[in-house]
Amino acid sequence: MRPAREDESTDVGRLISYSFDQLAANAFLAPDPARRRDVNAEYFTLITEHALDHGSVDVIDDAYGPELAAAAVWFDRTHDIPAIPDYDARLAALAGPFLDRFRTLDTLFDIHHPSEPHWHLAFLAVHPQRQGRGLGGELMNRTHAKLDSGGIPEYLEATNEANIRLYKRHGYTEMKPFDFPLPDDTRFFRMWRPAGRATANSHGPIHL
């Protein structure tokens, strides 16, 4: 396990797209199966690039090949972070005819995002051939340990029952309201992990 390099944002974006390819949310964003993986990979790359500057991106190398085995993309939301530079134009260029779908997702995520300072686990992705080996848990544990030492809570949006069970094992609890739907009734589930230990500067930035 290691921090991702700046030149690996595309590799991380592709891993996320491949790992999430069977999720209903990915099908909503890019309903054309022939284009889905490439479009979503560009989108996830864009988000990962921003996280490298305003959070952290950790990866696990694949011991059996050149690809990444797993990645976790976090944003430091203990303070305001700037918007992605030229986001509207870049999103329009990559999303093409699916632009309104990505804008809908952004709006819903903004509406339902908690206001309390926290770190946001935007993506936790494990290569399909490496799932079931605890890699996602390893990535979470690394960041949880450091955030717990600063008394900082974490937030995420789960996508299905299997993910909910995983996150509960790592200390996340259901928020109220718990879920929110996309227009096709695909649902995300809001989860919160309370700070492991409160400190006097619990809401200050932490560098991982």
Side-chain angles (χ1 to χ4, degrees), residues 74-156:
W74 294 85
F75 283 95
D76 178 359
R77 299 293 293 265
T78 62
H79 58 277
D80 291 336
I81 60 176
I84 296 174
D86 301 317
Y87 178 70
D88 289 342
R90 296 171 73 183
L91 182 64
L94 71 87
F98 313 131
L99 177 59
D100 286 347
R101 292 170 177 263
F102 282 87
R103 285 176 172 166
T104 295
L105 179 73
D106 285 346
T107 298
L108 286 171
F109 272 30
D110 287 344
I111 290 172
H112 293 94
H113 205 102
S115 58
E116 181 178 343
H118 62 277
W119 272 57
H120 177 208
L121 179 54
F123 308 119
L124 181 67
V126 179
H127 192 287
Q129 295 179 1
R130 302 292 178 257
Q131 292 176 5
R133 304 183 183 187
L135 300 183
E138 288 182 27
L139 287 165
M140 284 191 287
N141 288 340
R142 177 184 184 276
T143 299
H144 289 164
K146 295 191 176 185
L147 295 177
D148 284 349
S149 69
I152 298 171
E154 299 93 18
Y155 168 77
L156 58 82

Side-chain angles (χ1 to χ4, degrees), residues 8-175:
E8 289 183 300
S9 59
T10 298
D11 294 334
V12 174
R14 288 174 180 164
L15 170 67
I16 299 169
S17 181
Y18 185 39
S19 302
F20 290 6
D21 195 46
Q22 301 304 314
L23 294 180
N26 273 31
F28 169 81
L29 290 175
D32 181 355
R35 300 185 59 187
R36 181 177 303 147
R37 193 174 294 177
D38 289 341
V39 169
N40 286 329
E42 290 189 47
Y43 173 69
F44 295 136
T45 296
L46 181 63
I47 303 302
T48 298
E49 289 175 353
H50 203 50
L52 285 166
D53 292 329
H54 301 286
S56 73
V57 180
D58 293 319
V59 298
I60 296 177
D61 293 303
D62 193 333
Y64 302 99
E67 297 180 327
L68 297 174
V73 177
W74 294 85
F75 283 95
D76 178 359
R77 299 293 293 265
T78 62
H79 58 277
D80 291 336
I81 60 176
I84 296 174
D86 301 317
Y87 178 70
D88 289 342
R90 296 171 73 183
L91 182 64
L94 71 87
F98 313 131
L99 177 59
D100 286 347
R101 292 170 177 263
F102 282 87
R103 285 176 172 166
T104 295
L105 179 73
D106 285 346
T107 298
L108 286 171
F109 272 30
D110 287 344
I111 290 172
H112 293 94
H113 205 102
S115 58
E116 181 178 343
H118 62 277
W119 272 57
H120 177 208
L121 179 54
F123 308 119
L124 181 67
V126 179
H127 192 287
Q129 295 179 1
R130 302 292 178 257
Q131 292 176 5
R133 304 183 183 187
L135 300 183
E138 288 182 27
L139 287 165
M140 284 191 287
N141 288 340
R142 177 184 184 276
T143 299
H144 289 164
K146 295 191 176 185
L147 295 177
D148 284 349
S149 69
I152 298 171
E154 299 93 18
Y155 168 77
L156 58 82
E157 300 98 353
T159 54
N160 55 48
E161 291 294 330
N163 287 343
I164 291 169
R165 290 193 296 270
L166 169 67
Y167 295 132
K168 283 184 174 180
R169 291 198 297 271
H170 288 269
Y172 289 86
T173 59
E174 299 177 4
M175 299 180 70

